[in-house]
Amino acid sequence: VFIKIILLDKRTEILEIATRLFAERGYENTPLSLICESAGVSKGLISHHFKSKDGLLREIFNQTTQLIIKINSKPEIELPPHKHLEKVLKSFFAQLEKDRMLLQFNLNMIAQPSTRAILLDLIQERSIFILDNTISIFDRIDPKNSLILSHMFIAELDGIALSYLGVYKDFPLKKIKSHIIKKYTKR
Amino acid sequence: VFIKIILLDKRTEILEIATRLFAERGYENTPLSLICESAGVSKGLISHHFKSKDGLLREIFNQTTQLIIKINSKPEIELPPHKHLEKVLKSFFAQLEKDRMLLQFNLNMIAQPSTRAILLDLIQERSIFILDNTISIFDRIDPKNSLILSHMFIAELDGIALSYLGVYKDFPLKKIKSHIIKKYTKR
Amino acid sequence: VFIKIILLDKRTEILEIATRLFAERGYENTPLSLICESAGVSKGLISHHFKSKDGLLREIFNQTTQLIIKINSKPEIELPPHKHLEKVLKSFFAQLEKDRMLLQFNLNMIAQPSTRAILLDLIQERSIFILDNTISIFDRIDPKNSLILSHMFIAELDGIALSYLGVYKDFPLKKIKSHIIKKYTKR
Amino acid sequence: VFIKIILLDKRTEILEIATRLFAERGYENTPLSLICESAGVSKGLISHHFKSKDGLLREIFNQTTQLIIKINSKPEIELPPHKHLEKVLKSFFAQLEKDRMLLQFNLNMIAQPSTRAILLDLIQERSIFILDNTISIFDRIDPKNSLILSHMFIAELDGIALSYLGVYKDFPLKKIKSHIIKKYTKR
DNA sequence: GATGAATGAGTATTCATTCAT
DNA sequence: AATGAATGAATACTCATTCAT
């Protein structure tokens, strides 16, 4: 019975496998046939559940957004802002080290014009949430400059992800981590 | 004679138009037929000049690298390091404002796994040059931390490009520019 | 009880909606999914009631044939033949004006090779009935030429339907109606 | 050299074979793969020459229209109108007997809603030409009723084609031919 | 250098049908 | 009687590449 339940949830399986393949190979370079083969399902099933390849991509992106929103909506206001930043940074670097896949996926989809067009509204929604969330932290540190500081904070993390995942083989991730944590938690 | 020169330089025209289209639409989403149509040349001519679509992409990427190397190889060592950084930053923001296209192109090609695979060696070559060049500046400011500082410097600029070009419609580019120039030139 | 009766008669609803869609869009261009959606039933139900898409088409066509047979089997022999023709013509033009749908459906299915193949025996059955019925009228007018006259009569009506429904936007239906009724009822 | 020239004209070959297949099987029931196989060409060549399946259909239909226009534009005004009608009728029946294919094709395309939609403007163009041409004949017989008589004339021929090609196996074509020629040429 | 007809593998999508519930 | 997940064959179309001229 237990096995049956797991095997039956083909919809979830498609989502997970497609996320990985899109991250590894890019959206346009991942044929649906490969997803189907990897997931052990038929081509028709993707149409049935997600309508189209674009629909599948949007579903994946949106699920991740909902997860991000859920995680960051926990009331951690009690934490002092520098502690809060430290927590955000640590979770970012942890993901970079252990689960490159999801960050790679996001980077791909946002940098690529064709996928950006498909996800336009969803990217807006997510990025605005992230900006607002970051601003709410910096508001408690330096309210006058919180917008600029937040944008810089986000840009730094994105840039680190790009350098680490896509450019520099020998990127000194650990040292960068210490450096940036020290920078944002001192005082 | 004049007309002849212009007409003969279809190779350059193909390169320029392809760069723009790859930047705007992404590599995989830009068929050669569209490039041919836009440039007013036949399909055979691209094969003739660049062998293949991959060859065309590599040619474009490499030309830009050579330009970067040429520009940055001028002996500006006489400049004090903070002035040198200021110059680099100003030229970066100028390009971001006036010629989004080329930065968009680079971002696309590096973030996308399939194009990264095609350009692997060329990306290595270019990024190592940029890193070395940046290190040579920070060596004169803080030799002990020059590697980390250089990586952070590059990551910040990449992240700003990503935020500005791909994510935040209302990205406060001017304010970020002042902020970051002040940060790297103070003292 | 009343609700039950209405809800239970999904079979009839499917038949009606499918007839309309086949007439408007053609058989091959009407997916079962569209019929299901329009009728608010599941895909499985069509299989259950009609076995297959072909079965559904045959059922519709056959129902109409049975209706034609039923209507024309009323003993109207008492009517003088010219009056009988007038009645047939008036009913034909009435349908053309008020219920294009069913004539459109018949025209489609008969003119299209693929549907003709599916309905071959049913088309034979119906067209022979119509021919025999028409002959029985002309037998009382001009027995020697009744076959030719009947074929001409049928061809004229079919041709009018084709011109009116499929070709000429400004087809002068009223005038054609007067013209043809006068032609067949004079003397 | 001669063989080479014939073999090279693959565009014409595609048009001829597609016409036959569309006539025999209907448009929607004729996959491009079958046309390619029959014509011995690759799938890509149809895209190259006709852009799409719809484009191929439109090209075929339009070519036939141009042929009809060309044939009927010869100045035969010298012929007395009844002789002209006789000529039109004889050519119609000759085509019906010897070259069913093209009439079948036209009937299919016009009766089928999906192909009618694709060909809408071309059908208009052709049918108006045919109507005008017919009216110009009847104008010399009975100017007051020429519109009605022309519509009836066209409808009769269409109806005969429908009955003969699609409905009645034992359609008495020869007798109908004599009957209708007598009817339109008497006096 | 330059053209464009021709290829053929590849891709997303459609859709009738089946079947467990 | 009724549902809808799942299938898989079929289909139109795309596109980089080749090659004769």
Side-chain angles (χ1 to χ4, degrees):
Chain A
V1 176
F2 190 62
I3 289 171
K4 216 171 179 183
I5 288 167
I6 288 175
L7 286 179
L8 276 179
D9 203 358
K10 299 201 172 182
R11 193 177 185 280
T12 309
E13 177 131 11
I14 292 169
L15 283 169
E16 281 172 7
I17 286 179
T19 307
R20 183 171 54 76
L21 289 171
F22 287 162
E24 286 170 0
R25 310 172 41 102
Y27 178 72
E28 321 237 24
N29 200 36
T30 306
L32 287 181
S33 58
L34 182 61
I35 298 172
C36 295
E37 220 175 291
S38 308
V41 299
S42 66
K43 287 185 176 184
L45 196 58
I46 290 185
S47 281
H48 185 257
H49 282 306
F50 307 102
K51 189 79 182 166
S52 69
K53 196 183 177 186
D54 286 11
L56 172 58
L57 176 61
R58 287 178 59 85
E59 178 72 21
I60 292 172
F61 195 89
N62 193 43
Q63 275 201 357
T64 310
T65 300
Q66 298 315 319
L67 194 69
I68 291 173
I69 291 177
K70 199 177 154 194
I71 290 173
N72 287 286
S73 295
K74 287 179 199 160
E76 315 205 66
I77 304 174
E78 310 89 49
L79 275 179
H82 289 106
K83 284 285 165 196
H84 198 164
L85 283 178
E86 186 179 351
K87 218 190 142 207
V88 169
L89 287 168
K90 281 189 174 166
S91 114
F92 168 78
F93 281 96
Q95 194 176 23
L96 210 46
E97 287 174 275
K98 287 179 195 160
D99 182 23
R100 306 167 61 105
M101 204 250 289
L102 209 59
L103 278 169
Q104 181 79 57
F105 174 84
N106 291 329
L107 208 54
N108 288 183
M109 300 310 135
I110 290 171
Q112 189 69 7
S114 47
T115 47
R116 192 159 63 222
I118 297 166
L119 300 169
L120 199 57
D121 54 328
L122 301 180
I123 292 176
Q124 287 299 317
E125 184 196 353
R126 183 196 290 185
S127 54
I128 286 172
F129 174 84
I130 289 174
L131 181 60
D132 286 349
N133 214 55
T134 311
I135 289 175
S136 77
I137 305 176
F138 279 100
D139 268 344
R140 296 193 291 145
I141 296 174
D142 180 357
K144 264 180 68 184
N145 298 310
S146 63
L147 180 69
I148 301 299
L149 293 173
S150 298
H151 269 303
M152 280 306 306
F153 183 78
I154 292 168
E156 282 177 41
L157 298 197
D158 284 347
I160 287 166
L162 187 62
S163 280
Y164 176 63
L165 296 172
V167 184
Y168 292 103
K169 271 187 186 173
D170 306 322
F171 191 79
L173 192 62
K174 305 268 181 196
K175 290 186 179 169
I176 291 285
K177 183 181 169 183
S178 322
H179 175 87
I180 203 167
I181 288 183
K182 204 190 302 171
K183 171 172 147 193
Y184 279 107
T185 57
K186 73 181 172 190
R187 206 156 326 172
Chain B
V1 177
F2 190 62
I3 289 171
K4 214 171 178 184
I5 289 168
I6 289 176
L7 286 179
L8 279 178
D9 210 0
K10 295 198 172 179
R11 194 177 186 280
T12 309
E13 183 151 4
I14 292 170
L15 282 168
E16 281 173 7
I17 286 176
T19 307
R20 182 172 55 78
L21 289 172
F22 288 163
E24 286 170 0
R25 310 171 41 101
Y27 177 72
E28 321 237 24
N29 199 35
T30 305
L32 287 181
S33 59
L34 182 62
I35 298 173
C36 294
E37 215 178 296
S38 307
V41 298
S42 69
K43 288 188 175 184
L45 196 57
I46 289 187
S47 283
H48 186 263
H49 281 307
F50 307 102
K51 184 79 182 168
S52 70
K53 195 184 178 187
D54 286 9
L56 172 59
L57 176 61
R58 287 177 60 85
E59 178 71 21
I60 293 172
F61 195 88
N62 193 43
Q63 276 201 355
T64 310
T65 301
Q66 297 316 317
L67 194 69
I68 292 173
I69 291 177
K70 198 176 154 194
I71 291 173
N72 287 286
S73 295
K74 288 179 199 161
E76 316 205 65
I77 304 174
E78 310 88 47
L79 274 180
H82 289 107
K83 282 286 165 195
H84 197 164
L85 281 179
E86 187 178 352
K87 218 191 142 207
V88 170
L89 286 168
K90 281 189 174 165
S91 115
F92 169 78
F93 281 96
Q95 193 176 27
L96 208 46
E97 286 175 275
K98 287 178 196 160
D99 183 25
R100 308 167 59 106
M101 204 249 290
L102 209 61
L103 277 169
Q104 181 80 57
F105 174 84
N106 291 328
L107 208 55
N108 289 182
M109 299 311 135
I110 291 171
Q112 190 67 9
S114 48
T115 47
R116 195 159 61 223
I118 297 167
L119 300 169
L120 199 57
D121 54 328
L122 301 179
I123 292 176
Q124 286 301 317
E125 183 196 353
R126 183 196 291 184
S127 53
I128 286 171
F129 174 84
I130 290 174
L131 182 60
D132 287 348
N133 214 56
T134 312
I135 289 175
S136 77
I137 305 176
F138 279 100
D139 267 344
R140 296 192 292 143
I141 296 175
D142 179 358
K144 263 181 67 184
N145 298 311
S146 63
L147 180 69
I148 302 300
L149 292 174
S150 297
H151 269 303
M152 279 305 305
F153 183 79
I154 292 167
E156 280 178 41
L157 298 197
D158 283 348
I160 286 166
L162 187 63
S163 279
Y164 176 61
L165 296 172
V167 184
Y168 291 102
K169 269 187 187 173
D170 306 323
F171 191 81
L173 193 63
K174 306 267 181 196
K175 288 187 181 170
I176 291 285
K177 184 181 168 183
S178 322
H179 174 88
I180 202 167
I181 288 182
K182 204 190 301 170
K183 171 171 147 193
Y184 280 107
T185 58
K186 73 181 172 190
R187 205 156 329 172
Chain C
V1 175
F2 190 62
I3 289 171
K4 214 174 180 182
I5 288 168
I6 288 175
L7 285 179
L8 279 178
D9 209 0
K10 296 198 174 180
R11 195 178 185 278
T12 309
E13 183 151 2
I14 292 170
L15 282 168
E16 281 173 7
I17 285 176
T19 306
R20 182 170 58 76
L21 290 172
F22 287 162
E24 286 169 359
R25 311 171 41 101
Y27 178 72
E28 320 237 27
N29 199 35
T30 305
L32 286 182
S33 59
L34 182 61
I35 298 173
C36 294
E37 216 177 295
S38 307
V41 299
S42 68
K43 289 187 176 184
L45 197 56
I46 290 187
S47 285
H48 186 261
H49 280 308
F50 306 101
K51 184 78 184 167
S52 70
K53 195 185 178 187
D54 287 9
L56 173 59
L57 176 61
R58 288 177 59 85
E59 177 72 19
I60 293 172
F61 195 88
N62 193 42
Q63 276 201 354
T64 311
T65 301
Q66 297 314 319
L67 194 69
I68 292 173
I69 292 177
K70 197 176 156 196
I71 290 174
N72 288 284
S73 295
K74 287 177 198 161
E76 313 204 68
I77 304 174
E78 309 89 48
L79 274 180
H82 291 106
K83 283 287 166 197
H84 198 164
L85 282 179
E86 187 179 350
K87 218 190 140 204
V88 170
L89 287 167
K90 282 189 173 164
S91 116
F92 169 78
F93 281 96
Q95 194 177 24
L96 209 46
E97 287 174 275
K98 287 178 197 160
D99 183 23
R100 307 168 59 104
M101 203 248 291
L102 209 61
L103 278 169
Q104 180 81 55
F105 174 83
N106 291 326
L107 209 55
N108 289 182
M109 300 310 137
I110 291 171
Q112 189 68 8
S114 48
T115 47
R116 195 158 63 223
I118 296 167
L119 299 169
L120 199 58
D121 53 328
L122 301 179
I123 292 176
Q124 286 301 317
E125 183 195 355
R126 184 196 290 183
S127 53
I128 285 171
F129 174 84
I130 290 174
L131 182 61
D132 288 348
N133 214 55
T134 312
I135 289 174
S136 76
I137 306 177
F138 279 101
D139 267 343
R140 297 194 290 143
I141 297 174
D142 180 357
K144 265 179 67 184
N145 298 309
S146 63
L147 179 70
I148 302 300
L149 293 173
S150 297
H151 268 304
M152 281 304 307
F153 184 79
I154 292 167
E156 281 177 41
L157 298 197
D158 283 348
I160 287 166
L162 188 62
S163 279
Y164 176 61
L165 296 173
V167 184
Y168 291 103
K169 268 187 187 174
D170 306 323
F171 191 80
L173 193 64
K174 304 268 182 195
K175 289 185 181 172
I176 291 284
K177 184 181 169 184
S178 322
H179 175 86
I180 202 166
I181 288 183
K182 205 191 299 169
K183 171 171 146 195
Y184 279 108
T185 57
K186 73 181 170 188
R187 205 159 326 172
Chain D
V1 175
F2 190 62
I3 290 171
K4 215 170 179 182
I5 290 167
I6 288 175
L7 286 179
L8 276 178
D9 202 357
K10 299 201 173 183
R11 193 177 186 278
T12 309
E13 177 131 7
I14 292 170
L15 283 169
E16 281 172 8
I17 285 179
T19 306
R20 183 170 57 76
L21 289 172
F22 286 164
E24 286 169 359
R25 310 171 41 102
Y27 178 72
E28 321 238 25
N29 199 36
T30 304
L32 286 181
S33 58
L34 183 60
I35 298 173
C36 295
E37 220 176 289
S38 308
V41 299
S42 66
K43 286 185 179 184
L45 196 56
I46 290 186
S47 281
H48 186 257
H49 282 306
F50 308 102
K51 188 79 185 169
S52 69
K53 196 184 177 186
D54 286 11
L56 173 58
L57 176 61
R58 287 177 60 85
E59 178 71 20
I60 292 172
F61 195 88
N62 193 42
Q63 276 201 354
T64 310
T65 300
Q66 298 315 319
L67 195 68
I68 291 173
I69 291 177
K70 199 178 153 193
I71 290 173
N72 288 285
S73 295
K74 288 179 198 159
E76 314 204 66
I77 304 174
E78 310 89 46
L79 275 180
H82 289 106
K83 284 285 166 195
H84 198 163
L85 282 179
E86 188 179 349
K87 218 191 139 204
V88 170
L89 287 167
K90 281 188 173 164
S91 113
F92 169 77
F93 281 96
Q95 194 177 24
L96 210 47
E97 287 174 274
K98 288 179 195 159
D99 183 24
R100 308 166 60 106
M101 203 248 290
L102 209 60
L103 279 169
Q104 181 79 57
F105 174 83
N106 291 329
L107 208 56
N108 287 183
M109 299 310 134
I110 291 171
Q112 189 68 9
S114 47
T115 47
R116 194 158 63 224
I118 297 167
L119 299 170
L120 199 58
D121 54 329
L122 302 179
I123 291 176
Q124 287 298 318
E125 183 196 355
R126 183 197 290 185
S127 52
I128 286 171
F129 174 84
I130 290 174
L131 181 60
D132 288 348
N133 215 54
T134 311
I135 288 175
S136 77
I137 305 176
F138 279 102
D139 268 343
R140 297 193 291 144
I141 297 173
D142 180 357
K144 266 179 66 183
N145 298 309
S146 63
L147 180 70
I148 302 300
L149 293 174
S150 298
H151 268 304
M152 280 305 307
F153 183 79
I154 292 167
E156 281 177 40
L157 298 196
D158 283 348
I160 287 166
L162 188 62
S163 280
Y164 176 62
L165 296 173
V167 184
Y168 292 103
K169 270 188 188 173
D170 306 323
F171 192 79
L173 192 64
K174 304 269 181 196
K175 290 184 180 170
I176 291 283
K177 183 181 170 184
S178 320
H179 175 88
I180 203 168
I181 288 183
K182 204 191 301 171
K183 171 172 148 194
Y184 279 108
T185 57
K186 73 180 170 188
R187 207 157 325 176

